[in-house]
Amino acid sequence: MTDRPLTLMAVHAHPDDEATGTGGVLARYAAEGIRTVLVTCTDGGCGDGPGGVKPGDPGHDPAAVALLRRQELEASCAVLKVSELETLDYADSGMMGWPGNDAPGSFWRTPVEEGAARLAELMRHYRPDVVVTYDENGFYGHPDHIQAHRITMAALEMTTLTPKVYWTTMPRSGMQRFGDIMREFHEDVPEPDPAEAAAMAEIGLPDDEITTWVDTAAFSGQKFDALAAHSSQGENIFFLKMGRERFGELMGTETFVRVKDATGAAVPENDLFAGLR
């Protein structure tokens, strides 16, 4: 044994992803004395500008948006008690098919080996016991999420480290409940067309394929406040409209698939650090 603290590293694509996907575990493990390291890969410059102005619209300034989102990210990390924030500051690539995908300096256009080498250096420095990122599809097909997955898995191969590795996911039962609540709060939400519905049905996993269910209900208030710190992003407003109680009901458990493990801890498990303490 050494004096090195147990360490969780979460690798995310944009400012605010840390709150929606892993805000609960970041807050929970920080409260348990575990060092939490957040790596944010892009600057978020393809997000909404002041007043909700969208990328490509008059008045949208990616540099100004990136600066604002960095401030929001730091505020979110303070709420979640994140120990260390590391930013790779690649340009936000936007959604799949947007012009930003191929823009010079975009994360999507960056060679995987380059991004992985930078991340591997951070892994060697922090020596995480647990690494969390997205699955091969970036959970829902966003190019920057896919690229975050790729550089994370490549970076692990570049090191001699053997952390437990997890991909974020959602149980299909939870996705159904999420859709019901969306319609409850937005009565005008149209039913998706068949192709969109089929794509949505593929997001997440059947409940019995999820290896790890972490109870974060006691930290749902922090998760709510962390998301509120990213108030410039209109997509977050839906979550905030729920109010704390309904938000906690929906977001009080975070789920993962364990893809690498050297501990032999049994699954299903309820702790990312099972077998490590």
Side-chain angles (χ1 to χ4, degrees), residues 22-259:
T22 54
V25 292
L26 287 169
R28 170 178 165 165
Y29 289 120
E32 293 179 7
I34 288 171
R35 180 172 61 173
T36 54
V37 179
L38 171 64
V39 181
T40 301
C41 296
T42 79
D43 60 10
C46 286
D48 293 350
V53 62
K54 302 297 183 183
D57 288 348
H60 186 277
D61 180 351
V65 171
L67 177 60
L68 173 60
R69 298 198 72 184
R70 174 58 185 255
Q71 294 167 346
E72 292 178 335
L73 177 61
E74 291 173 352
S76 172
C77 286
V79 169
L80 298 173
K81 310 298 183 187
V82 169
S83 308
E84 305 287 346
L85 170 63
E86 299 282 356
T87 55
L88 301 185
D89 287 325
Y90 289 107
D92 188 341
S93 310
M95 300 296 286
M96 191 67 80
W98 285 16
N101 293 177
D102 297 317
S106 74
F107 190 38
W108 182 241
R109 184 171 168 174
T110 298
V112 170
E113 295 77 11
E114 176 190 319
R118 294 180 63 194
L119 182 57
E121 281 301 305
L122 293 175
M123 289 179 174
R124 293 185 191 104
H125 175 72
Y126 289 109
R127 302 187 66 80
D129 301 281
V130 171
V131 173
V132 175
T133 192
Y134 315 103
D135 63 19
E136 304 101 318
N137 191 46
F139 184 60
Y140 69 101
H142 193 297
D144 288 331
H145 290 230
I146 294 170
Q147 189 76 330
H149 162 85
R150 290 173 176 171
I151 73 162
T152 301
M153 302 312 291
L156 288 163
E157 293 298 319
M158 293 178 177
T159 74
T160 59
L161 303 172
T162 57
K164 298 178 78 176
V165 179
Y166 293 89
W167 296 342
T168 58
T169 192
M170 281 276 287
R172 295 268 167 83
S173 61
M175 292 299 295
Q176 176 65 46
R177 189 164 68 254
F178 180 74
D180 293 342
I181 291 176
M182 278 195 72
R183 282 183 284 275
E184 175 186 337
F185 281 87
H186 295 278
E187 295 179 359
D188 58 345
V189 172
E191 289 292 330
D193 62 43
E196 185 180 346
M200 287 293 292
E202 293 301 312
I203 294 177
L205 289 172
D207 292 28
D208 61 1
E209 294 182 19
I210 292 173
T211 63
T212 311
W213 305 69
V214 183
D215 181 359
T216 59
F219 303 93
S220 61
Q222 279 176 264
K223 184 170 179 172
F224 184 92
D225 291 341
L227 200 57
H230 296 282
S231 59
S232 72
Q233 302 311 298
E235 66 266 22
N236 296 329
I237 302 304
F238 161 71
F239 292 103
L240 304 178
K241 280 184 177 178
M242 292 183 193
R244 289 175 179 273
E245 184 175 349
R246 292 302 302 277
F247 181 87
E249 291 173 8
L250 183 65
M251 309 291 274
T253 302
E254 291 182 351
T255 50
F256 307 86
V257 174
R258 193 175 83 190
V259 294

